[in-house]
Amino acid sequence: MGMPFKAHLSGQRIFACSKCGVHLAYYEDIVSKSFQGRHGRAYLFDSVVNVSVGEKENRTLITGLHSVADIQCNVCHSTLGWKYVSASAEETLPRESPQLITPSLCNYCVIGMFAA
């Protein structure tokens, strides 16, 4: 198997994997910062790159039962968060497809500087 494809995001404000530094998302793609993940606060992104999607599974979250799949870094294979696959309640359907990333598992970069 060859090297994984890595998308490079240009711009001033991006999120990157904390283990390998590969780009993940633009700051501007954050839809919401008011989510809780397994490891604390989580951000809901409209779009992320350089991730692979794991197996779909049902999880009971704060808002009910959801079908989700973990997302991992394409380069170092660290689990970064999860992706909504489907929701059981009709009112939660608009949330399907966006990805949640736990900030403690990635770095926020401003032109190459890593913030804690």
Side-chain angles (χ1 to χ4, degrees), residues 54-109:
E55 294 292 318
K56 178 177 122 174
E57 63 181 74
N58 291 324
R59 288 190 196 152
T60 302
L61 305 175
I62 294 171
T63 55
L65 184 64
H66 298 275
S67 291
V68 298
D70 284 339
I71 56 173
Q72 295 88 22
C73 174
N74 273 349
V75 176
C76 68
H77 308 290
S78 298
T79 299
L80 300 167
W82 71 88
K83 174 181 178 153
Y84 282 100
V85 178
S86 65
S88 61
E90 215 171 275
E91 62 272 5
T92 60
L93 287 178
R95 200 180 309 156
E96 288 183 28
S97 173
Q99 297 87 17
L100 278 159
I101 294 180
T102 306
S104 63
L105 302 175
C106 61
N107 291 319
Y108 174 60
C109 312

Side-chain angles (χ1 to χ4, degrees), residues 11-22:
Q12 294 186 350
R13 303 188 307 172
I14 59 168
F15 283 86
C17 177
S18 64
K19 290 196 176 171
C20 69
V22 71

